[in-house]
Amino acid sequence: MNKAWWKNSVIYQIYPRSFADSSGDGIGDINGITEHLDYIKELGADIIWLSPVYQSPNDDNGYDISDYQEIMEEFGTMEDFDRMLAAMHERGLKLVMDLVVNHTSDEHRWFMESKKSRDNDYRDYYIWKEGKDGREPNNWGACFGGSAWEYDRETDMYYLHCFSKKQPDLNWENEKVRREVFDMMTWWCDKGVDGFRMDVISMISKDSAYPDGEADNGLYGNMSPYVCNGPHVHEYLQEMNREVLSRYNLVTVGEASGVTIEEAKKYANLDDTELNMVFQFEHTDITGGKHGKWTTERMELKKLRAVLNKWQTELEGKAWNSLYWDNHDQPRAVSRFGNDAPLYRERSAKMLATCLHMMKGTPYIYQGEEIGMTNAYFKRIEDYRDIESLNAFRDYTEKGLIDEEEMIYCLQAVSRDNARTPMQWDDSRHAGFTAGTPWIRVNPNYPMINVKAALEDPDSVFYYYQKLIRMRKEYEIVVDGIFKGLLEEDENIYAYERTLDEKRMLVACNFSEHEAACSLFEQEGGEELISNYKFHKTGILQPYEARVVLY
Ligand code: TEU
């Protein structure tokens, strides 16, 4: 096979709960997705990554799976799924399933068995430990608050859950667990799915010493160094590759919290023995610190540039990048990295799109990003639904670490619910998302920001994305060009070039609301491939201006 097909593809992520509700129960569903496939086709994306649609009690909106081979009732049936998959394939769209196998739901049959007794056949499917001096086995804090260990009175032991206590971690050291997972994956591959996005796959192998973690935030110890990129993770993924992945023509993406460049080169090595690419978090983690992600701090261009350029240059020729600004765990791109005030929203959304889509790697578009949807900015804790946000609000305010008002500001800046408000289809009630009552409030700006309005405006963010996607198909340099950072000291402009054979593509983006001096485009000749401004000023980039010129 020549070039891997996913290298010139664009991935569109759907968060099914919030995409489109066909049944009127206020919750998005599979038939709702099927009804909107032509919209995604029109945008030009080729691959759809579907956040989990499996049976789940929804403690974490489907990332807690109780049956990997059933569809969540609220989302529809397996027949609906099959129809959706066929409809995607008819349109030449590929489907990537979310594979959540670091943990299951505590309502999964395996866990219900495992919990029954110390000698149950399934006991060793999960990670059970004795307590220490009447307490948890160590001080690890779970990602969603509290201890990472839950006590089980019946058997007088603790089980590990890196996320909520309803998400017990699977024990990948157990060969039977790996067999079950590989068989399940094979079943989906035989159904015809085209790939997997693997949830926190970097966390499947734990440090067997289970040492205490550093505790500096007044809450629990940091488990990351002992659960991310653990001792056997590459061994397990190579086994998965041999047993399943290599037997099909798939695209595979590892969501890899805590991944470093060195690790990424192993996960996504071009020799094709593990995965095709990883999702790294360095550029979304440049804010935050003492209180984890909870901060209202704005990102600094200098830091952002350093991280992006590092990933671009260091993976060159060794591994492949995933390119993303936002997803269902992140605030909205335009609110976080751009400027969502009416004057600049569209311009900065287009600037961010340019910046990302012209880099080397496979770009991801998160539903609504293509119309410049913004953060929800909910002011009342009652409006939030996300387990992480609700738990953090409770933990930090109860301990007096952050006061309530400040914590609401933090949620407005970085809560995952900012990305989870319903897709804004039109200006009718509930943004055309549902005929019922939506499970989470619609962003009040929907009368202005919606798909219908975007499709009617030839100058919209939507058509700009469409053009960027088309460029990836038309210009080899967008896919293959070598990346080099430019103007690396500039306070306002992020710029780089891509080169391929004799060609050179210059990309410059003004990340500020002020004019910024820029002489990059002064040289003679060159063809402008795209810009979010019709007219340029000599030697200047206007507020949030982005330009791409091919020489
Ligand atoms: O997210 C994993 C992950 O790294 C998160 O902890 C992320 O850092 C956090 O959501 C940011 O606040 C994956 C899924 O994408 C997420 O939706 C799930 O909740 C989580 O795994 C558990 O399955």
Side-chain angles (χ1 to χ4, degrees):
M1 230 175 38
N2 38 23
K3 193 181 296 167
W5 52 272
W6 36 266
K7 287 193 174 171
N8 58 5
S9 301
V10 172
I11 302 183
Y12 187 88
Q13 183 193 351
I14 291 181
Y15 195 66
R17 201 173 189 78
S18 304
F19 191 63
D21 172 23
S22 72
S23 68
D25 66 353
I27 295 172
D29 48 41
I30 287 182
N31 289 338
I33 296 171
T34 310
E35 285 168 16
H36 288 94
L37 292 179
D38 287 330
Y39 168 71
I40 297 167
K41 190 71 195 162
E42 164 89 0
L43 178 64
D46 336 71
I47 302 174
I48 293 173
W49 150 25
L50 202 56
S51 277
V53 293
Y54 316 92
Q55 197 182 91
S56 163
N58 282 307
D59 188 51
D60 184 20
N61 291 354
Y63 284 89
D64 48 320
I65 297 169
S66 52
D67 190 331
Y68 290 100
Q69 278 151 275
E70 290 289 348
I71 297 296
M72 191 191 302
E73 260 164 60
E74 292 168 328
F75 288 175
T77 63
M78 194 59 83
E79 287 68 46
D80 296 335
F81 177 89
D82 291 339
R83 241 192 331 269
M84 173 187 72
L85 181 59
M88 286 182 184
H89 286 166
E90 267 166 38
R91 289 165 177 77
L93 294 166
K94 305 217 185 239
L95 177 63
V96 164
M97 296 294 277
D98 214 314
L99 184 78
V100 189
V101 288
N102 172 68
H103 45 267
T104 67
S105 160
D106 65 339
E107 297 181 34
H108 193 290
R109 185 177 58 83
W110 301 337
F111 189 75
M112 306 220 281
E113 285 296 319
S114 183
K115 220 170 124 70
K116 281 185 181 159
S117 66
R118 288 184 174 216
D119 56 8
N120 185 281
D121 286 347
Y122 288 86
R123 187 66 170 181
D124 207 28
Y125 270 46
Y126 296 85
I127 301 171
W128 292 94
K129 297 270 179 239
E130 304 277 357
K132 240 190 203 164
D133 312 323
R135 294 206 50 165
E136 293 85 7
N138 66 25
N139 72 354
W140 293 358
C143 292
F144 297 156
S147 167
W149 299 94
E150 180 71 8
Y151 181 62
D152 172 56
R153 194 179 301 277
E154 300 283 295
T155 61
D156 188 28
M157 283 178 90
Y158 293 81
Y159 66 85
L160 178 70
H161 59 88
C162 290
F163 293 89
S164 91
K165 66 176 184 216
K166 287 185 65 61
Q167 293 167 296
D169 280 54
L170 281 165
N171 175 18
W172 274 70
E173 286 184 23
N174 181 348
E175 209 184 303
K176 283 195 227 152
V177 166
R178 303 203 297 277
R179 192 68 265 154
E180 298 261 21
V181 169
F182 300 158
D183 288 348
M184 175 271 286
M185 291 172 72
T186 303
W187 186 84
W188 283 102
C189 290
D190 289 340
K191 221 180 209 318
V193 305
D194 305 288
F196 298 103
R197 173 269 186 187
M198 303 182 188
D199 193 67
V200 288
I201 204 68
S202 56
M203 288 168 66
I204 58 176
S205 168
K206 279 84 177 171
D207 182 330
S208 58
Y210 290 86
D212 278 340
E214 212 174 297
D216 60 0
N217 65 354
L219 292 169
Y220 286 88
N222 177 14
M223 66 178 171
S224 284
Y226 313 108
V227 300
C228 297
N229 312 306
H232 304 291
V233 66
H234 297 291
E235 198 182 300
Y236 298 153
L237 288 176
Q238 285 160 22
E239 183 182 347
M240 178 195 283
N241 186 293
R242 282 194 305 275
E243 299 285 322
V244 190
L245 309 178
S246 61
R247 297 169 41 220
Y248 300 87
N249 182 13
L250 303 172
V251 57
T252 54
V253 189
E255 191 212 22
S257 341
V259 72
T260 57
I261 297 265
E262 285 319 306
E263 283 296 322
K265 287 182 197 160
K266 299 183 202 158
Y267 287 113
N269 196 305
L270 299 176
D271 70 2
D272 222 6
T273 50
E274 294 189 23
L275 308 175
N276 297 139
M277 51 187 143
V278 293
F279 242 69
Q280 56 84 16
F281 291 91
E282 262 193 83
H283 67 296
T284 56
D285 287 345
I286 52 179
T287 55
K290 181 150 161 263
H291 296 307
K293 67 186 265 185
W294 305 109
T295 178
T296 54
E297 183 193 334
R298 281 283 294 186
M299 69 91 193
E300 265 177 69
L301 182 60
K302 261 201 302 213
K303 291 189 189 162
L304 180 70
R305 173 196 295 119
V307 172
L308 294 177
N309 287 9
K310 179 177 81 173
W311 282 87
Q312 286 287 301
T313 48
E314 297 195 22
L315 290 197
E316 177 59 48
K318 306 211 171 69
W320 190 253
N321 269 298
S322 299
L323 309 172
Y324 75 97
W325 287 129
D326 56 4
N327 63 36
H328 65 292
D329 294 332
Q330 304 293 336
R332 288 284 177 182
V334 70
S335 303
R336 180 191 231 174
F337 298 104
N339 185 334
D340 61 12
L343 186 58
Y344 294 125
R345 184 185 63 86
E346 290 187 276
R347 282 219 197 285
S348 68
K350 291 174 185 174
M351 181 278 288
L352 290 170
T354 315
C355 178
L356 194 85
H357 282 244
M358 295 297 105
M359 278 192 257
K360 190 161 187 172
T362 299
Y364 291 67
I365 299 171
Y366 176 66
Q367 67 184 43
E369 180 186 333
E370 76 283 9
I371 55 167
M373 276 177 63
T374 69
N375 274 4
Y377 298 117
F378 292 146
K379 290 187 188 66
R380 306 178 318 154
I381 193 64
E382 296 74 40
D383 289 331
Y384 289 87
R385 298 285 175 271
D386 167 32
I387 181 170
E388 181 192 48
S389 304
L390 295 172
N391 289 357
F393 183 83
R394 187 200 57 215
D395 292 352
Y396 283 93
T397 58
E398 273 179 7
K399 297 231 159 46
L401 294 166
I402 306 182
D403 72 36
E404 286 195 11
E405 195 185 358
E406 184 60 21
M407 195 59 199
I408 290 287
Y409 291 137
C410 293
L411 293 176
Q412 290 183 332
V414 290
S415 165
R416 308 196 295 183
D417 278 340
N418 286 304
R420 298 177 178 185
T421 60
M423 181 71 180
Q424 292 161 209
W425 293 104
D426 57 38
D427 58 3
S428 68
R429 204 170 132 80
H430 305 314
F433 163 72
T434 180
T437 306
W439 70 277
I440 186 171
R441 280 181 55 204
V442 176
N443 190 319
N445 64 19
Y446 76 88
M448 210 179 62
I449 305 172
N450 61 65
V451 168
K452 184 164 166 275
L455 293 177
E456 284 165 0
D457 171 12
D459 204 26
S460 67
V461 178
F462 177 91
Y463 290 115
Y464 194 89
Y465 267 89
Q466 188 186 55
K467 189 167 173 194
L468 285 167
I469 297 172
R470 229 183 282 133
M471 282 166 60
R472 178 164 296 271
K473 315 288 172 194
E474 281 170 24
Y475 298 92
E476 232 182 309
I477 196 167
V478 173
V479 181
D480 290 326
I482 305 267
F483 175 99
K484 185 170 161 251
L486 301 171
L487 309 182
E488 299 200 286
E489 300 301 320
D490 202 287
E491 302 273 314
N492 305 307
I493 298 175
Y494 181 53
Y496 55 87
E497 64 172 25
R498 305 280 307 277
T499 48
L500 186 70
D501 304 323
E502 301 302 297
K503 297 260 177 225
R504 176 162 182 258
M505 184 172 80
L506 266 186
V507 182
C509 299
N510 183 355
F511 270 73
S512 82
E513 60 185 67
H514 309 289
E515 292 195 336
C518 172
S519 53
L520 282 177
F521 301 105
E522 299 310 293
Q523 56 178 299
E524 288 297 300
E527 173 198 358
E528 178 164 294
L529 300 186
I530 195 165
S531 176
N532 57 352
Y533 274 79
K534 281 203 182 70
F535 303 103
H536 305 297
K537 290 191 180 172
T538 314
I540 277 175
L541 283 186
Q542 298 161 85
Y544 300 106
E545 179 168 354
R547 272 185 91 178
V548 181
V549 176
L550 184 66
Y551 293 98

